[in-house]
Amino acid sequence: MKTGKNKKWMLIILPAAVAMLFGVFAEQMTKGESETSQKESETVERVEIMQEESETNTGKYADTSSYEELDELYKEYFMLGTGCEAIDHWNNQLAEIGNPEKEALISRMYNSITFGNEFKPAYNFDASSETLFTVDFAAEELLDWAKENGVKVRGHVLVWHAQVNPSIFAKDFKAYSGGNLTVSDTDVLDEDCLVSREVLLERLKTYIYGVLE
């Protein structure tokens, strides 16, 4: 009799417990999605505020004219540089080159710069060139600025796990994804359009030599 009663109670309790667990799980999922959405919204809002401040802060940057020049301070030990990007590349008003105040700070404090994105193969690979390389307009802007200001440049980067023009991987430099031609570096390419490992390595070698020359 006890066994029968226990079974009856189990039949009553188990569905209720399962339903409750699913309810808690669904609530947590909804809560998690809500928190993620809120964080994304807050991030977008912060970026917009920063961009607005950047656009309206001309002449309002901290006065660093009395600061020691960092490159002079450490010149006996190592070169001192900073990462930077060109405003013209993505019309990013938070970038450095193209902003007179930031340019002045960089040229006074540093003797080296590293490009944030402008030297990556997504923007400089050119299948129509013998060297497979044509300097991107934004990279050229940064190079010209560095030359004019006597600042050395560290390239970034010759090869990257992302931000690579997909045509470098493809036969006849024509990349296909889902049967359609693509120039997106985020698309998954169709296997039948891919070149062999040997061909790809030779292309990479040509591209790298093209950059360095």
Side-chain angles (χ1 to χ4, degrees):
M1 292 294 290
K2 287 183 179 180
T3 303
K5 286 182 179 180
N6 287 340
K7 285 183 178 179
K8 286 181 180 179
W9 279 111
M10 290 294 286
L11 289 172
I12 294 171
I13 292 171
L14 274 176
V18 170
M20 184 175 69
L21 285 173
F22 271 108
V24 171
F25 178 73
E27 182 181 351
Q28 290 297 320
M29 288 290 290
T30 303
K31 182 180 178 183
E33 290 173 359
S34 176
E35 289 177 351
T36 300
S37 178
Q38 183 179 352
K39 286 179 181 178
E40 289 176 351
S41 177
E42 289 173 354
T43 300
V44 170
E45 187 177 347
R46 283 198 298 271
V47 170
E48 289 175 349
I49 290 171
M50 289 171 67
Q51 287 177 333
E52 287 177 6
E53 289 177 348
S54 175
E55 292 168 2
T56 58
N57 266 358
T58 304
K60 295 182 181 179
Y61 292 102
D63 181 9
T64 61
S65 58
S66 62
Y67 292 9
E68 287 190 80
E69 295 182 17
L70 295 176
D71 58 346
E72 285 294 315
L73 194 61
Y74 294 102
K75 67 180 180 180
E76 299 297 327
Y77 304 98
F78 45 74
M79 294 184 66
L80 198 67
T82 186
C84 62
E85 295 183 350
I87 289 177
D88 286 345
H89 201 182
W90 291 293
N91 193 29
N92 176 13
Q93 298 303 313
L94 299 178
E96 294 76 26
I97 305 307
N99 181 310
E101 288 83 3
K102 292 181 180 180
E103 288 181 356
L105 179 64
I106 291 172
S107 63
R108 196 166 68 83
M109 290 291 183
Y110 304 105
N111 48 31
S112 173
I113 60 172
T114 300
F115 298 178
N117 285 284
E118 288 80 358
F119 248 167
K120 288 179 179 174
Y123 316 110
N124 298 277
F125 179 80
D126 181 5
S128 66
S129 168
E130 285 187 10
T131 62
L132 301 181
F133 170 77
T134 298
V135 65
D136 178 70
F137 75 94
E140 192 164 23
E141 180 182 348
L142 287 169
L143 289 169
D144 289 343
W145 182 88
K147 187 175 181 179
E148 290 169 6
N149 290 273
V151 175
K152 294 187 177 181
V153 171
R154 289 181 180 272
H156 176 226
V157 293
L158 293 173
V159 180
W160 195 238
H161 73 283
Q163 290 175 280
V164 177
N165 189 311
S167 63
I168 194 173
F169 303 106
K171 297 172 183 175
D172 299 321
F173 299 106
K174 294 179 180 178
Y176 288 87
S177 178
N180 299 312
L181 273 172
T182 181
V183 293
S184 172
D185 61 306
T186 60
D187 281 346
V188 177
L189 302 185
D190 298 341
E191 286 191 20
D192 58 359
C193 81
L194 301 177
V195 297
S196 66
R197 179 178 183 274
E198 291 72 26
V199 171
L200 178 58
L201 288 175
E202 190 60 35
R203 288 181 180 180
L204 283 174
K205 181 179 178 181
T206 301
Y207 172 77
I208 290 170
Y209 272 74
V211 174
L212 297 178
E213 288 173 358

